Amino acid sequence: MERRQIIVVGGGLAGTATALGLAQAGFDTLLAAPQPPADKRSSAILGKSLAFLADLGVVEALGARHAPLAVMRIIDDLGRLFRAPTVEFRASEIGLNAFGINALNADLAAALAERTAAAKTLEIRELAATGLTLTDEHAVVTLEDGSEIGADLIIAADGRRSPMREAAGIRSHQWRYPQTAIVLNFKHAVDHGHVSTEFHTRSGPFTQVPLPGRRSSLVWVEDPKLAELYVDLKPEKLSKTVAEKLHWILGEVSIEEPVGCYPLGGSRVDRLTSTRLALVGEAAHAFPPIGAQGLNLGLRDAEALVRLAAESRDDPGSPLMLGRYQAARRGDVLTRTAGVDILNRSLLMDFLPTQIARSGALAAMGLISPLRQFAMREGLVPGAGLTGLPRSVRKWMGGHDARGDHVEE
């Protein structure tokens, strides 16, 4: 039987970044994953997640195929009695040039592939994992060609329906929302100025995020029946509809096909680890595309796992390392999952006290700069709201933390 130190199962962005990080840390690593389908979506990479990718050389490999996110704007477009004021979060207010970047997932995958090809201790097999055996001494993964490979640690990064998670006996709690996300990219007449605008509507967020040039990506959360109708519109009619929903802030727009459509749901797990196994990315948590938290949460999983495994180099799959990983990630995962869920459900509620509370919270952030700065730092790095941003984040975001020169390593 073959043997590796670590096997990563799943070749999405979070899984590939985990495998690359482990290989660069010197571990004999195998990435087992079929070639993923083409992905026309984009992802905003923020704060600590961007610093992690930059340290792996992925941002350099990405080159100019990204747009910085300098301002994040929230506009209340609910049309209800209590309307929240527009709030703008500016990276410059906390001493940064940008909160992060937005790039097409295909370009991120290409940049990761360039870096994985140069990783000397990483092997990639485009095969699905079909079996898993876990013992106190070692783990064994069976691939679809029948080969069995032993390892000290298995990392399940194989999506929200993770077969590895199920084989390990970790329970996942799934739920659905009465919403569908329409995802597309578009060109526009007016420059976006590196501003991302999120309209809060009665059906959910309608979020424009900058891409290079006069292009942006859009995540449009809508009622499922209406989403089907919108997706079937002719490109010219859909382009006009998008421009109208943007209140023409970017002028005339032109939709780029294809247009994707995804039912929204979420999931959480009872625990992030099992014997010689750790969960990363959507195998561990999933929620709607709100606030750019999904992939960023998965990349923070990856960063923590690489760092902790390197500190337990003699046995990266030991109970001590896995316990530390569980402790390091549990709070971040729980708070982000709950926060996104509460925000999304609050948009769907007509309950008057909920409307007042939501409007009041946004108004407070718009008026009270320390509260707004706290929210921005906390959004970039969990725990940084009070302590300040770590040096690694300031390095890749540019500038210095507005609170001073606090350094967290």
Side-chain angles (χ1 to χ4, degrees), residues 340-359:
V340 169
D341 182 67
I342 290 169
L343 174 59
N344 188 43
R345 293 184 190 277
S346 75
L347 299 177
L348 303 176
M349 285 183 172
D350 286 320
F351 188 49
L352 188 59
T354 301
Q355 296 179 36
I356 295 172
R358 180 187 159 278
S359 298

Side-chain angles (χ1 to χ4, degrees), residues 124-149:
I124 300 175
R125 295 192 190 181
E126 296 182 355
L127 297 170
T130 58
L132 175 68
T133 302
L134 301 174
T135 69
D136 290 341
E137 290 74 31
H138 65 276
V140 178
V141 168
T142 303
L143 302 181
E144 61 183 336
D145 64 356
S147 59
E148 293 186 340
I149 308 171

Side-chain angles (χ1 to χ4, degrees), residues 241-299:
T241 301
V242 169
E244 289 173 346
K245 285 185 170 291
L246 286 167
H247 297 272
W248 301 96
I249 61 173
L250 296 176
E252 298 282 349
V253 310
S254 177
I255 299 301
E256 299 176 2
E257 296 187 291
V259 177
C261 200
Y262 305 90
L264 292 193
S267 69
R268 61 179 176 82
V269 296
D270 290 338
R271 50 199 168 93
L272 299 172
T273 64
S274 183
T275 304
R276 298 205 170 270
L277 178 135
L279 304 180
V280 163
E282 289 197 339
H285 41 72
F287 43 75
I290 297 173
Q293 291 299 317
L295 178 57
N296 285 282
L297 197 60
L299 291 173

Side-chain angles (χ1 to χ4, degrees), residues 32-257:
Q35 189 69 27
D39 190 347
K40 297 294 185 180
R41 296 173 296 174
S42 72
S43 292
I45 312 297
L46 310 175
K48 195 172 186 178
S49 300
L50 183 60
F52 174 60
L53 291 185
D55 287 339
L56 297 180
V58 174
V59 175
E60 181 181 358
L62 190 61
R65 294 172 293 175
H66 69 269
L69 302 176
V71 180
M72 293 186 177
R73 177 195 297 144
I74 296 177
I75 298 177
D76 188 333
D77 200 20
L78 292 164
R80 288 174 174 152
L81 179 61
F82 290 93
R83 185 178 187 274
T86 297
V87 180
E88 288 191 349
F89 300 93
R90 295 182 173 273
S92 60
E93 191 175 350
I94 54 174
L96 303 178
N97 294 329
F99 295 114
I101 62 172
N102 190 52
L104 295 176
N105 287 359
D107 290 335
L108 287 167
L112 279 164
E114 179 180 325
R115 298 302 300 155
T116 56
K120 296 180 180 178
T121 61
L122 175 63
E123 179 188 359
I124 300 175
R125 295 192 190 181
E126 296 182 355
L127 297 170
T130 58
L132 175 68
T133 302
L134 301 174
T135 69
D136 290 341
E137 290 74 31
H138 65 276
V140 178
V141 168
T142 303
L143 302 181
E144 61 183 336
D145 64 356
S147 59
E148 293 186 340
I149 308 171
D152 296 322
L153 173 64
I154 307 299
I155 297 170
D158 48 345
R160 65 177 65 193
R161 299 188 183 276
S162 172
M164 294 294 99
R165 182 190 65 220
E166 297 300 316
I170 300 176
R171 291 201 311 167
S172 173
H173 305 271
Q174 312 275 340
W175 62 89
R176 291 285 186 188
Y177 295 101
Q179 298 163 298
T180 292
I182 303 170
V183 180
L184 55 87
N185 302 317
F186 63 97
K187 299 176 183 177
H188 40 81
V190 177
D191 192 274
H192 49 55
H194 307 307
V195 177
S196 174
T197 302
E198 181 170 287
F199 293 88
H200 286 181
T201 77
R202 292 195 177 200
S203 59
F206 182 92
T207 309
Q208 163 267 333
V209 191
L211 288 170
R214 289 189 174 180
R215 297 175 67 225
S216 290
S217 57
L218 180 71
V219 178
W220 173 3
V221 178
E222 188 53 271
D223 175 271
K225 292 182 180 179
L226 287 176
E228 291 180 9
L229 297 175
Y230 284 128
V231 168
D232 287 338
L233 290 176
K234 293 183 178 179
E236 297 80 9
K237 178 61 176 176
L238 184 58
S239 295
K240 184 177 180 181
T241 301
V242 169
E244 289 173 346
K245 285 185 170 291
L246 286 167
H247 297 272
W248 301 96
I249 61 173
L250 296 176
E252 298 282 349
V253 310
S254 177
I255 299 301
E256 299 176 2
E257 296 187 291

